[in-house]
mmCIF file of all heavy atoms in Angstrom:
data_model
loop_
_atom_site.group_PDB
_atom_site.id
_atom_site.type_symbol
_atom_site.label_atom_id
_atom_site.label_comp_id
_atom_site.label_asym_id
_atom_site.label_seq_id
_atom_site.Cartn_x
_atom_site.Cartn_y
_atom_site.Cartn_z
ATOM 1 N N ARG A 50 112.609 -25.658 -108.669
ATOM 2 C CA ARG A 50 113.583 -25.407 -109.731
ATOM 3 C C ARG A 50 113.043 -24.390 -110.710
ATOM 4 O O ARG A 50 113.758 -23.487 -111.171
ATOM 5 C CB ARG A 50 113.954 -26.699 -110.457
ATOM 6 C CG ARG A 50 114.783 -27.643 -109.589
ATOM 7 C CD ARG A 50 115.335 -28.795 -110.395
ATOM 8 N NE ARG A 50 114.337 -29.523 -111.153
ATOM 9 C CZ ARG A 50 113.751 -30.656 -110.776
ATOM 10 N NH1 ARG A 50 114.086 -31.207 -109.620
ATOM 11 N NH2 ARG A 50 112.845 -31.236 -111.526
ATOM 12 N N ALA A 54 114.733 -20.785 -111.463
ATOM 13 C CA ALA A 54 115.103 -20.405 -112.829
ATOM 14 C C ALA A 54 114.388 -19.131 -113.273
ATOM 15 O O ALA A 54 114.966 -18.274 -113.931
ATOM 16 C CB ALA A 54 114.793 -21.536 -113.796
ATOM 17 N N ARG A 57 116.062 -16.090 -111.677
ATOM 18 C CA ARG A 57 117.304 -15.746 -112.361
ATOM 19 C C ARG A 57 117.012 -15.045 -113.680
ATOM 20 O O ARG A 57 117.674 -14.069 -114.043
ATOM 21 C CB ARG A 57 118.174 -16.977 -112.585
ATOM 22 C CG ARG A 57 118.869 -17.472 -111.337
ATOM 23 C CD ARG A 57 119.867 -18.577 -111.664
ATOM 24 N NE ARG A 57 119.310 -19.698 -112.407
ATOM 25 C CZ ARG A 57 118.702 -20.736 -111.857
ATOM 26 N NH1 ARG A 57 118.546 -20.801 -110.538
ATOM 27 N NH2 ARG A 57 118.221 -21.717 -112.605
ATOM 28 N N ASN A 150 124.714 -21.743 -107.175
ATOM 29 C CA ASN A 150 123.689 -22.730 -107.499
ATOM 30 C C ASN A 150 123.956 -24.021 -106.713
ATOM 31 O O ASN A 150 125.083 -24.438 -106.567
ATOM 32 C CB ASN A 150 123.676 -23.071 -108.976
ATOM 33 C CG ASN A 150 123.139 -21.941 -109.811
ATOM 34 O OD1 ASN A 150 122.527 -21.032 -109.294
ATOM 35 N ND2 ASN A 150 123.318 -22.030 -111.106
ATOM 36 N N ALA A 153 121.283 -29.429 -107.334
ATOM 37 C CA ALA A 153 119.987 -29.683 -107.946
ATOM 38 C C ALA A 153 119.631 -28.589 -108.932
ATOM 39 O O ALA A 153 119.076 -28.870 -110.004
ATOM 40 C CB ALA A 153 118.905 -29.791 -106.872
ATOM 41 N N GLU A 154 119.940 -27.313 -108.591
ATOM 42 C CA GLU A 154 119.652 -26.219 -109.508
ATOM 43 C C GLU A 154 120.512 -26.341 -110.763
ATOM 44 O O GLU A 154 120.059 -26.050 -111.851
ATOM 45 C CB GLU A 154 119.888 -24.868 -108.842
ATOM 46 C CG GLU A 154 118.845 -24.501 -107.817
ATOM 47 C CD GLU A 154 119.188 -23.206 -107.103
ATOM 48 O OE1 GLU A 154 120.393 -22.932 -106.912
ATOM 49 O OE2 GLU A 154 118.263 -22.495 -106.737
ATOM 50 N N ALA A 155 121.767 -26.736 -110.586
ATOM 51 C CA ALA A 155 122.656 -26.898 -111.741
ATOM 52 C C ALA A 155 122.129 -27.974 -112.658
ATOM 53 O O ALA A 155 122.135 -27.830 -113.894
ATOM 54 C CB ALA A 155 124.067 -27.236 -111.282
ATOM 55 N N VAL A 156 121.642 -29.079 -112.095
ATOM 56 C CA VAL A 156 121.080 -30.159 -112.921
ATOM 57 C C VAL A 156 119.798 -29.643 -113.599
ATOM 58 O O VAL A 156 119.585 -29.912 -114.782
ATOM 59 C CB VAL A 156 120.768 -31.394 -112.068
ATOM 60 C CG1 VAL A 156 119.947 -32.402 -112.832
ATOM 61 C CG2 VAL A 156 122.069 -32.002 -111.566
ATOM 62 N N ALA A 157 118.985 -28.872 -112.861
ATOM 63 C CA ALA A 157 117.753 -28.354 -113.424
ATOM 64 C C ALA A 157 118.043 -27.413 -114.582
ATOM 65 O O ALA A 157 117.315 -27.375 -115.575
ATOM 66 C CB ALA A 157 116.946 -27.618 -112.353
ATOM 67 N N GLU A 158 119.116 -26.634 -114.488
ATOM 68 C CA GLU A 158 119.469 -25.698 -115.563
ATOM 69 C C GLU A 158 119.878 -26.464 -116.819
ATOM 70 O O GLU A 158 119.613 -26.054 -117.930
ATOM 71 C CB GLU A 158 120.617 -24.790 -115.138
ATOM 72 C CG GLU A 158 120.209 -23.740 -114.160
ATOM 73 C CD GLU A 158 121.392 -22.899 -113.711
ATOM 74 O OE1 GLU A 158 122.528 -23.177 -114.134
ATOM 75 O OE2 GLU A 158 121.179 -21.956 -112.932
ATOM 76 N N ASP A 159 120.557 -27.591 -116.618
ATOM 77 C CA ASP A 159 121.057 -28.378 -117.769
ATOM 78 C C ASP A 159 119.999 -29.298 -118.346
ATOM 79 O O ASP A 159 120.179 -29.807 -119.457
ATOM 80 C CB ASP A 159 122.272 -29.202 -117.334
ATOM 81 C CG ASP A 159 123.461 -28.304 -116.987
ATOM 82 O OD1 ASP A 159 123.489 -27.145 -117.450
ATOM 83 O OD2 ASP A 159 124.332 -28.772 -116.225
ATOM 84 N N THR A 160 118.927 -29.522 -117.640
ATOM 85 C CA THR A 160 117.893 -30.444 -118.105
ATOM 86 C C THR A 160 116.748 -29.654 -118.724
ATOM 87 O O THR A 160 116.124 -28.865 -118.037
ATOM 88 C CB THR A 160 117.346 -31.287 -116.934
ATOM 89 O OG1 THR A 160 118.428 -31.913 -116.273
ATOM 90 C CG2 THR A 160 116.353 -32.304 -117.415
ATOM 91 N N PRO A 161 116.454 -29.891 -119.988
ATOM 92 C CA PRO A 161 115.299 -29.209 -120.595
ATOM 93 C C PRO A 161 114.010 -29.603 -119.891
ATOM 94 O O PRO A 161 113.915 -30.701 -119.330
ATOM 95 C CB PRO A 161 115.295 -29.699 -122.050
ATOM 96 C CG PRO A 161 116.674 -30.237 -122.277
ATOM 97 C CD PRO A 161 117.175 -30.701 -120.944
#
Side-chain angles (χ1 to χ4, degrees):
R50 290 190 308 262
R57 285 189 305 275
N150 288 347
E154 288 175 328
V156 169
E158 287 177 357
D159 294 337
T160 306

